[in-house]
Amino acid sequence: MLATVVRQRTAEIGVRMSLVLSPAIFFQLVVGQGLGLTAIGIAAGLIAAFVLTRGMTTMLVGVKAADPQPIAPCGIVLHYRRNGVLATRMAGGKS
């Protein structure tokens, strides 16, 4: 998503770099926007995880709403699965 934002703003960034933008400020601009997107994603993920875990409490015996044991392994598996799929696609393979 950050790559898309940078690609869309390439002309603007080029003009700013040629006029007044120093490399340090450019880095701060891009990284700051990336951190903002990351924070939004983390917040949305945590909210969704707690909502779905509340639903799991009605289906599973002994699972509490804020219990990290069912959430953490799922997050780790999804993280590595997503990164593995992206790495395979970037290498030209199929997943």
Side-chain angles (χ1 to χ4, degrees):
M1 184 163 199
L2 181 61
T4 304
V5 171
V6 171
R7 190 176 335 121
Q8 289 173 346
R9 296 181 62 187
T10 301
E12 174 193 348
I13 292 169
V15 170
R16 286 185 179 203
M17 291 284 287
S18 65
L19 294 176
V20 294
L21 193 64
S22 70
I25 295 174
F26 168 73
F27 183 75
Q28 182 180 8
L29 177 73
V30 172
V31 171
Q33 192 166 16
L35 289 175
L37 290 171
T38 302
I40 291 169
I42 289 171
L46 286 174
I47 290 168
F50 283 118
V51 167
L52 292 173
T53 306
R54 289 217 180 263
M56 284 177 26
T57 58
T58 61
M59 293 182 248
L60 300 173
V61 177
V63 176
K64 296 178 182 143
D67 196 8
Q69 282 83 10
I71 295 173
C74 293
I76 291 169
V77 168
L78 290 174
H79 170 75
Y80 284 112
R81 173 68 182 141
R82 181 180 190 282
N83 288 338
V85 167
L86 290 178
T88 304
R89 287 187 184 160
M90 289 181 0
K94 292 184 179 182
S95 61

